[in-house]
Amino acid sequence: MSFNHLDQLYRSVIMDHYKRPHNHGMIDDPGWITVSMNNPSCGDKIHLSLKLDGDKIVDVRHNGSGCAISQSSASMMTDVIKGKSIKDAHELSYDFSELVQGREHDDNLDLGDAESLQGVSQYPARIKCATLPWKAMEKGLREAAGEHADQ
């Protein structure tokens, strides 16, 4: 597969998640963790609802506004972390951050369609867009654990 073909495939996956987001819509229920974050440099916004059962993420929903990178990353992330343990979600978040920054990452972790965002490393201004929903998930999990969100 040529680089151009692979690049087109990744762009197609990103646009598909942007136009038809998975796990879209918020849940207004006190049993869910709700967190919002924005990227002040570009105005992207992510709202996230997480449902935990013990140490497992049993459901996750998102909503927001912004560029195709941030919104598709949120859609892809919800697919990846649903059903995972909190520990696994943290590892996936770290690995995704390393991937989009062009750093070495654990190839054994399955990031699903989120791997299509690896090309973001060529555009440093877009790294914050891609990682915004993952940072929102981390913030929500910290809040669930009773830690301060700014730690």
Side-chain angles (χ1 to χ4, degrees):
M1 187 177 300
S2 71
F3 178 75
N4 284 338
H5 182 72
L6 191 58
D7 188 48
Q8 287 299 323
L9 176 64
Y10 283 165
R11 288 174 192 246
S12 175
V13 171
I14 292 167
M15 291 311 295
D16 186 51
H17 276 273
Y18 179 65
K19 292 178 180 174
R20 291 175 284 282
H22 302 183
N23 305 303
H24 192 255
M26 298 297 288
I27 303 294
D28 185 20
D29 183 313
W32 288 61
I33 300 159
T34 301
V35 63
S36 296
M37 291 189 79
N38 70 332
N39 181 350
S41 63
C42 67
D44 289 349
K45 296 177 182 169
I46 295 292
H47 309 286
L48 200 63
S49 292
L50 295 157
K51 177 70 174 169
L52 302 179
D53 183 9
D55 73 337
K56 188 173 181 178
I57 300 168
V58 293
D59 204 355
V60 57
R61 303 291 172 154
H62 72 96
N63 199 352
S65 61
C67 69
I69 299 295
S70 68
Q71 301 307 302
S72 65
S73 182
S75 175
M76 295 171 187
M77 180 198 70
T78 61
D79 285 345
V80 171
I81 67 169
K82 190 184 286 188
K84 296 288 191 291
S85 70
I86 292 172
K87 178 181 177 281
D88 288 346
H90 284 299
E91 289 177 4
L92 289 163
S93 180
Y94 175 81
D95 200 52
F96 177 77
S97 179
E98 295 296 294
L99 174 80
V100 297
Q101 293 181 66
R103 298 180 185 155
E104 283 193 37
H105 57 280
D106 185 354
D107 287 333
N108 295 321
L109 293 178
D110 183 8
L111 290 168
D113 286 349
E115 291 180 17
S116 66
L117 292 168
Q118 64 184 330
V120 167
S121 65
Q122 300 171 31
Y123 309 99
R126 298 301 214 162
I127 292 171
K128 287 185 178 180
C129 302
T131 57
L132 183 63
W134 297 80
K135 288 180 179 179
M137 181 263 297
E138 293 276 352
K139 180 180 175 184
L141 294 177
R142 283 194 310 269
E143 288 180 4
E147 298 176 19
H148 295 288
D150 57 351
Q151 291 181 342

